[in-house]
Amino acid sequence: MIGLISNEMMKIVNRKLTWIILFLLIAITAGSFVMNKLTEEPVSDWRAEQSELIERYQGQLEIDELSPQMYADTENKLQIANYRLEKDIAPVSENPWSALLRFSGLIEMVIIFAIVIAADVVSREYTSGTIKLLLIRPHSRAKILFSKYISVAVFALCMLAIVFVTGYGVSAMFYGFGNLGTKDLFLNAGGEVTEMNVFLQTVKMYGLSFLPILSYVTLSFAISTILRNSALAVGISLFIMIVGNSIIEATSRISWLKYLPFANSDISLYIFHLPARPEMTLSFSLTVLAVYIAVFAGLSWMVFKKRDTA
Amino acid sequence: MNQQPIVQFKHTTKIIGRKTIVNDLNFDVLAGEVFGFLGPNGAGKTTTIRMMVGLIKISRGDILINGHSIASQFEQAIRHVGGIVENPDLYKYLTGYQNLKHYARMDSGISKKRINEIVEHVGLKESIHNKVSSYSLGMRQRLGIAQALLHRPSLLILDEPTNGLDPAGIRKLRNNLKELAHQEGVAVFVSSHLLSEMQLMCDKIAVLQKGKLVSIENVQAFISKDSISRVYLEVEASQTELTKMLIADLNKTAIAGNGPNELWIQMNKDEVPELNKLLLDNGIRVLSIHVQERTLEDKFLEMMGEEK
């Protein structure tokens, strides 16, 4: 099995596409953090700034067109700002962990790239005809498919780690290495303002995001295995991802949508206390994703095992 | 020579939809023989090969390799098989060496030394560290053979192996395959359209037509069986008419050939001495008698023609 996985890793690593993706991943991550630093305005008096923010948030809440998601977000921010002034807790000075937390969007980029790699890993063997020599070896088809799946998952995990490390590295150049003990104000699952360790929140967000990434990887992998067409696999997966983002909003109105993977695939919603529906919890989302992963993986296995390889 | 069966076809049948692609094959491929698998396009050769290596399911019957069923004991059965199915499709974005390493990892106990040995054997030492995308078809064919032999299989399956090889390469491959079969006891299963090549390479020939096995014989027996050859005869120009009459006595017809004093007759090869004696006894000055041996191609096309 180790041999099979190292074969698959060799095939991923030796492709040009992989290196283009890794380059883009690092360039975009580094670029985002640099841009953030360039547009940053120095804060002289945090109390005055917070009062200003409170006014702005209150103004925003009066606008009717605000989407439910935006509304909740503004409310949360308002609550934290009020709490700060009340308890006289200054915002934490800029540090790499807080910066990483703010760039949760980078995780979506990892998802997109992981979809592209996963879409190719099985269908490419068919289009190049190499599937024939791959299958006439003393290994069951299940093992061969599984080794491919594990390799893509490992590669996606590496991309997530690269984003984390690059983001941390670039921020550390601007703000220093940061203190593992730094605490900041967050809303807990019950909606109360609480002091939490920033480093642990960051690790939690990036670490748990592996599950949504894996669910898109599994989707793309399954489509590519079943249809043997990588373009379709990328297309369908990206379409679902984009449509999925707008479904998060609809989920607040239509309750059964919460059982679809979309509203569950953004872990940052839980870090910032913005669940699509009040009854949705982090463990609910993780369970839903795990079920989808199992179903997609099972489907690709069933099709791959049975198929006549022409 | 060890003559135990390596492959046993047992009522092997493949049905796709309502069409029977391969119909009830029953034959053995023995250790130590080069086995030629012939048939026109669409006869079911590739389908049969794909069933042999487990790429497609067998609808009815079974195929045993070294006694293991390819359907129910896939891993034990396929362990003894090396092959190329259709084109030598290898990973073009990897080097030749990486390709071999890839296949070596999928089998237990293939050392680096073995890989180097096989690279040398197929004559790819110079270019083994280049990407396969830069290889010619002949080089890819040789790399394909290298991966097939890596784990010392007892059954080697090659689909159109001479495709893309130059004449020297074809000759070397032919000798290699014969050596593998006759010296090391490997069963070599070759399918090809190049009939002249098959005639030189194979010990036994099986012919498939419309999914059915129509003939299986030793190659020499296959060619010469109930065979009528063409006998070319050259006599003094003045004696051609007399010769024709004499031949008519044998109940045969002599037909004028290309040259002015050339005749040809349809007859069995073993009747030639009789003809010769007859002509000599009657004072005909025979300049030459030449029997045109039939080739596998003649026989094959004749057979296909009959079936139609």
Side-chain angles (χ1 to χ4, degrees), chain A residues 31-69:
Chain A
S32 315
F33 283 89
V34 171
M35 284 302 287
N36 177 54
K37 171 72 186 170
L38 293 180
T39 54
E40 207 173 54
E41 283 166 28
V43 181
S44 46
D45 179 5
W46 71 266
R47 286 183 189 86
E49 196 219 9
Q50 292 294 319
S51 315
E52 215 175 284
L53 280 175
I54 289 172
E55 247 170 71
R56 198 198 303 165
Y57 293 149
Q58 277 167 340
Q60 277 175 7
L61 288 178
E62 279 157 24
I63 307 170
D64 288 340
E65 300 96 77
L66 224 51
S67 72
Q69 201 78 42

Side-chain angles (χ1 to χ4, degrees), chain B residues 35-137:
Chain B
F35 191 97
F37 199 48
L38 297 186
N41 287 333
K45 295 191 304 278
T46 302
T47 306
T48 307
I49 288 180
R50 290 197 159 152
M51 283 193 283
M52 281 172 88
V53 295
L55 283 177
I56 60 179
K57 299 245 173 327
I58 301 169
S59 307
R60 269 205 300 273
D62 203 353
I63 299 173
L64 304 185
I65 294 172
N66 273 352
H68 298 289
S69 157
I70 194 75
S72 58
Q73 301 163 286
F74 175 75
E75 287 172 54
Q76 286 110 301
I78 203 75
R79 184 156 281 142
H80 308 285
V81 182
I84 304 178
V85 183
E86 277 188 314
N87 309 312
D89 291 317
L90 296 140
Y91 299 99
K92 289 192 179 140
Y93 54 94
L94 299 180
T95 66
Y97 192 82
Q98 283 173 321
N99 267 287
L100 292 181
K101 210 163 97 184
H102 173 267
Y103 296 117
R105 278 193 196 127
M106 300 188 80
D107 225 290
S108 46
I110 296 175
S111 61
K112 249 188 190 150
K113 199 173 139 245
R114 174 67 184 160
I115 299 183
N116 293 331
E117 189 181 292
I118 207 91
V119 168
E120 193 127 358
H121 183 71
V122 297
L124 281 177
K125 208 178 169 190
E126 304 288 311
S127 42
I128 197 68
H129 290 293
N130 297 343
K131 285 219 157 56
V132 173
S133 51
S134 71
Y135 282 20
S136 67
L137 179 55

